[in-house]
Amino acid sequence: MINPRLWTFGFFRTSLAVSLPLILATSVLAQNPAPTTTETAATVRSFNENGTEEATTERVFVTGSAIPTAAEVGPNPVLNVTRDLINKSGERNTEELLRNLPVANANGVPVSNNENGSNTAVGAATIALRGFDARATLILLDGRRVAPYPTGNRRVVFIDLNTIPESSIQSIEILKDGASTTYGADAVAGVVNIKRYHDYRGAEAKFEYGNTTEKDSGTENTALTFGVGDGKTNVSGTINYYHRNSIFNHDRSYSAVPPFLSSNASPYNLQVTNAAVAAAGGTVIPSTSGNQFASAPNGTNGLAPANTYLYGAGRPRSGPNGFNFNEFSLSFPASERYGGYAAMDHKIFGDALVVYGDFMYQDVKTHNELAAPATGNFQTPGFVTLAIPPRVANPAGTTPFGGPTYAETGVTPGAFNPFNPFNQIISGGTRARLAEFGNRLFDNESDAWLGTLGFRGDKLINGTWGYDTGFRYSQIRNTTTGQQVSISRFNRIMNQADPIFNPASSEYIGTTTAFNPFGDFRVPIPSNAASVEYARVHPKDIDTSKLATVDATIFTSALFDLPAGGVGFAVGGQFRRESLNEDPDQLNIIGDIAGNSAIAAARGGRKSYGVFVETIIPIFSEKNAITGFHTFEINAAGRYEAFLNNDTNVAVPKIGVRWQPIDDSLTLRFTWGKGFREPSLEELYSAPISDIQPSHDPQNGGAFEPETTTLIQSTPTLAPEDSETFSGGFVWTPKFIPGLTVSTDIWQIERTGVVQSAFLDAVLAREAAGTLLPGERVERLPDGTITRIVVSNRNEASQKANGVDFGLQYQYQTASFGTFTSLTQITYLNSFEIQRVAGGPIEQLAGVTTDPGQSQEGYYRWRGNTRLDWAYKGFDFIATARLISGFIEQDPDLITRNVGRRVLFDLQASYDFSSLVTTAETSPSYSKNDKSSVSTDASSHLSFCDTMLKGTTFTVGVINLFDKDPPFASGQGGNSVGYPGFTYDSTGRFYYVRLTKKF
């Protein structure tokens, strides 16, 4: 048991108590006694119907509120990632951009080290905020929902960021707070609102190429972004293409050999009887069960006599003598993505009636490879039994040397394998790596598309009213094909008496010799080739997720006037219809794929509706300010949502406060609210999924088994999860230090009734105590060996986390040396408590591994990014440092150890050749909303050379400048790659060049 130090919120109370009075004091001293100042407003681009651009002060919608505002800082903590920051980050795609932000912590879904099977989502990826799993983070596209990925990652359903092209993104707003009152279910830990281009002007072409130091993962990223409009009708869009090559685990020294080697090995680990070994002339290892293990010697051609075999009471090829699957598996899959996006809007009656729509399509292809199939125990409940017949045919069906029977294994009496040195049926606890059949290959293709059509209006009635109503349909169809091994065909090629070896049979496969399974895969047996080809199969699974939404909102910034100003008000509703179809291949349905349990087809659907109301009540403003209250406003919201599939409903409130005690240079903000998460269709209706998880068996002296076969079942009766959130902090832009902005926010999130399947060690402890929960089952062989553990999704866990976000931005403009900009963002996780079962112990996991038996990541206490940018006469130099703290885990002896922290450095340099064009009066610029504008000077008079130079930018960069390797992680000896593979990947130092041209 790991017991790290438990921190409390006292640290934050102390820091706020000290810092806020100092800030207030310095703010007062810095003020001129004269005039009051107005609230900082957002200047955004506007085009009149003649197509002329006008600078105006407009209300904008900020993620987390349905009421437009002109205030720069609201009550909700919102992080805005602009297009400029995206370009300067050097990140290659949307997934990497978001997952590397400090607000992201553990439990996201990575592209790298994401294994395949019926339980994972290869090639897909998403972000998780605050360390809560991805189910608690709501991802929106232009403020609306999209269909989730149709295959959950161990039941965690999410939005695949790889289906959202980075080139279409104008900005990203991350609400670091709950928002169920505004958006409904899932907005528990926060909201990621990806805003795409809608009124781009001009065109921009981009080509980027990058590669690792080892030159084994070349990346091409190209895009064309365009937009035209006259102020009345606007069209914007993008076309994109992305490709990246794969990386093998054996290509990196730190992952070439994992901390544990598999007992699913080649040569096979054979479970045989003492009697059969004695009769064959082998070494008998006496046991009370009458069984022992044997394995053919290294380098054998399949004909080694029994007296040369390795023998043991346990599997000879396990632990340090096990199979190195990383010699064959990919660490980073190959991927290819292409598609396009287009958006339009048209003013029918000016701002009063605007029709808008968009369409996006993205095709995402991913190729992944794992080592050859691992059979697990040949006899495992829920799986088709594998068996090798005895050496001599026995039509009577007797077993003179004991061992598995013909009835138990399904072996036909009279079946035989002439290469079997033990005259018995070999099955039971035998484990094998079917290396002769080659790697498991997985080719995933996701076809994702969505369309939106709606109407909106603004500046109605007294100029303060507006509305927005729209319909969106989105769909993801995921097709998985690959190369696997059929168990039924495997069993047939073991039997020399099978018709497939008879040239006179219509089933003849081209060889008269049965498969010899007693060899070493490193010494191929020529006669096995035809049998290998026969047993290979290529199943095809098709999973589809669909979501249709209709929503409407009416809003005003002045429902009525108070002395401080107008009362903001919004009311709206939404109807959603979602469905999930999982159509596995027939081979998967009958459980005929080696290493996988049977997968049933699954169908699920749900209809839900919700209504919400929100108000902003100004108590003080510059109109009626008093000492200590320059502005003070209260934001209140509530939502009711009903789910018709299981007749459940929830109602949640939220309260926010925005307070400027001195002037607009200092804003204090606080929020409190309740939220909820409705279980996903995957959790409710999906077919059972097979997994391999670590366990310690108390009936076997606590022996560690990193490859325990696990079956996770869905539960249609799950209830909604509940949550409660709090945030409070300040944003300070002192006027005596122009260009400086400092922000701090403390936060706390609590979830109850969290849907999860139990850790296997907890299930085994309950088995020993005789208190297994409904839906839990431990299946064992007669000798006590675990063959499978069955668990179910349950509303049984609770989680509570708190921490603090720090932000600092400073920009200094000089007359002779350009502009210097520093941007720092740091998140500190003070506490992360988990209670896995109601009434059970509370575990403090801040700074501790998320999964003790694997340590693929941890609940990181510190994550931070700091960036220094120097812009001078067309040159732009950016240096970035990224901090990820370490975490506590255990080694194979259960001794606590620390996984090291990492500080990674990136560099980027660019030059805008527009600086060489002396006739250019302006260059592309960005407002708060980052909408690109192109100068309207006399560019038509430029020379050809100047035309080519204008708007052309060349960028070079390097990620992970010092080529730092990931830190070592053991995971009690069960880590499969040797490092936290869900946080880090095997890319290492990565160079890139980028050329962009604006027209």
Side-chain angles (χ1 to χ4, degrees), residues 274 285-291:
N274 296 154
I285 309 294
S287 66
T288 56
S289 67
N291 294 321

Side-chain angles (χ1 to χ4, degrees), residues 801-858:
N802 59 59
V804 60
D805 299 327
F806 303 96
L808 187 150
Q809 179 174 333
Y810 180 62
Q811 187 173 82
Y812 181 66
Q813 296 180 335
T814 69
S816 304
F817 300 102
T819 300
F820 296 87
T821 304
S822 173
L823 176 63
T824 298
Q825 297 170 344
I826 299 173
T827 293
Y828 174 70
L829 180 64
N830 177 62
S831 173
F832 201 105
E833 297 177 345
I834 293 181
Q835 188 179 41
R836 303 191 188 278
V837 181
I842 297 176
E843 303 174 56
Q844 174 56 245
L845 297 182
V848 179
T849 178
T850 60
D851 47 349
Q854 294 180 332
S855 288
Q856 294 285 10
E857 58 187 343

